[in-house]
Amino acid sequence: MSRGRSDGSQKQRVVAYICGVAIFLGFLYVYRGSIFGSQNGSSSALEYGSKSLKRLGASYLGADDDSDSKQGDSSRIGQGDGEDDIVPKSFPVCDDSHSELIPCLDRHLIYQLRLKLDLSLMEHYERHCPPPERRFNCLIPPPAGYKVPIKWPQSRDEVWKVNIPHTHLAHEKSDQNWMIVKGEKIVFPGGGTHFHYGADKYIASIANMLNFSQHNLNNEGRLRTVLDVGCGVASFGAYLLSSDIIAMSLAPNDVHQNQIQFALERGIPAYLGVLGTKRLPYPSRSFELAHCSRCRIDWLQRDGILLLELDRLLRPGGYFAYSSPEAYAQDEEDRRIWREMSALVGRMCWRIAAKKDQTVIWQKPLTNECYMEREPGTRPPLCQSDEDPDAVWGVNMEACITPYSDHDNRVKGSGLAPWPMRLTTPPPRLADFGYSNEMFEKDTELWQGRVENYWNLVGPKMSSNTVRNVMDMKANMGSFAAALRGKDVWVMNVVPRDGPNTLKLIYDRGLIGSIHDWCEAYSTYPRTYDLLHAWSVISDIEKRGCSPVDLLIEMDRLLRPTGFIFIRDKQHVIDFVKKYLTALHWEAVATADAGSDSDQDANEVIFVVQKKLWLTSESFRNTE
């Protein structure tokens, strides 16, 4: 009897084993199909692939020469074109918890690597890129239920909550009118820590304090570029736009970590950065106004080094608007800070231009005269003459005053035309590069024609409000952005660190931008740009030995779903990119020969792609 029961249980085990093998083989077949099978591109939302943190061979942004950091020959442009070349039809998808991954500003990485950083100097908020073995080579998924962002100008005042599912700021800052949750949307009333009654009224009060004409802060076009430090959700910068003023809204990826993400989702220029130990990625004399409203920065630390960084960035005669309790001292600690800060800026030759309630506005001198009249040994000292005030990528801040060039000292200012004339007027600093006015004007005209050609290529796919946040990945003199003047967009002009440092020309034109190394990830959240313009960027990093596949994955991280990329490069580069369209879920929109644009750029091809909206299995289920 017991023997019969034993035989039966043995048969059951055999049957169970066979069923298990069959299930495993079926799973393996499905998994193989998800990685190498074709995807249906007609759906607006695609259920897509594995969500594992699996790495491909190439490291995420910056492949080394060892065999573990390459994705076979197919990751190199011009190689792997034989019959045996294998290009994946899908890339792995990062885990949903990485939907907001910023590779070089990842605090989890800092903890894992146990980096010895000085928290008091804000080093943990500066860029720390992952080593090759810790770089993810996977596509960043959108959050569950993601929607195509609300269009500008409506987006200034409201965004979809599912796109940035973080409402803690609405609760923490509920008394300050930063943001309010209303149903499926997050609404921005325009308030701030110091301006509960709206950024527009606060901006008007600053213009009144400075006695600017018509109570307009742009001062008849003479005030154009602004740096807003500790910007919150960037309502200050948002309301400056109607005055033809463009602000670089700056905040770190800190405990209020989604400030910049909200700003960019709203369609407001913004950048993740911090006043820590490194110079900000902007050249000297870039901004007419720096602004700090209750930004909780210790300006007295390290001999005033942070104020001296602002001083480097301000133009001759530029302003620093500081709204804080110390400006209208009440208790003894506030009075002490005010006395010491007043003494410091006095030694820096700043003067008080206006002071009212809790806001003080200092002005930087127009010439070097005050610096020369200081007593010997006065601190902070002047910077050494051999120091380059425009060298910024990975360069430490210096606790010294940057004096003006002979030109700026002689003309008593920057010599810039008022906006919008300065956009097309040859900047005075052209001479720093040996460029002539004729070269500048020709470049401006050339890109005007190219941009018109771009828009003709995409046709009805790009309507008047399709695009808001634009990045020019290799901006040169900023003529691509200048050609977009008539469209309701703003452009982040990126100047690669290994080329001519032309970013100061871009700021002199009344535009904004940053220095960057495209072998690394950019300092922004995923899904923050509607349009990327890549002029020879892919072939440039290939020459440097960096992985072009990694760059394509980074471009995908930056791009919003349904966003566009204009690639302008050599034919073999375009052919290389086409091999990865399916894996990236990009769709070819148009191709055109660009050789007739310029003798210099003969054999270039324009290739326009659009990023599809795809969702992970989990987020796809949540939308049903």
Side-chain angles (χ1 to χ4, degrees), residues 311-351:
D311 184 83
R312 181 185 71 85
L313 295 173
L314 282 175
R315 298 196 193 280
Y319 300 96
F320 175 44
Y322 180 58
S323 295
S324 181
E326 294 89 20
Y328 194 70
Q330 296 296 321
D331 58 37
E332 186 52 43
E333 179 63 13
D334 283 343
R335 289 192 183 98
R336 181 193 67 81
I337 294 172
W338 174 251
R339 286 194 300 268
E340 293 186 18
M341 198 165 173
S342 297
L344 172 60
V345 297
R347 295 193 301 273
M348 291 166 56
C349 293
W350 290 9
R351 69 172 188 87

Side-chain angles (χ1 to χ4, degrees), residues 9-20:
S9 62
Q10 185 174 357
K11 290 179 181 177
Q12 290 175 354
R13 284 196 296 271
V14 171
V15 171
Y17 175 79
I18 293 172
C19 290

Side-chain angles (χ1 to χ4, degrees), residues 448-503:
Q448 185 69 45
R450 288 178 172 180
V451 167
E452 289 176 5
N453 188 26
Y454 287 161
W455 253 250
N456 290 335
L457 274 176
V458 294
K461 274 188 171 284
M462 191 178 292
S463 59
S464 59
N465 67 348
T466 300
V467 171
R468 172 62 185 172
N469 301 350
V470 178
M471 176 184 283
D472 189 0
M473 298 174 67
K474 184 181 177 182
N476 194 25
M477 288 190 276
S479 294
F480 170 81
L484 293 172
R485 164 82 171 112
K487 304 186 184 299
D488 210 356
V489 303
W490 68 272
V491 182
M492 179 68 78
N493 293 279
V494 180
V495 172
R497 60 162 297 201
D498 56 320
N501 191 357
T502 54
L503 192 57

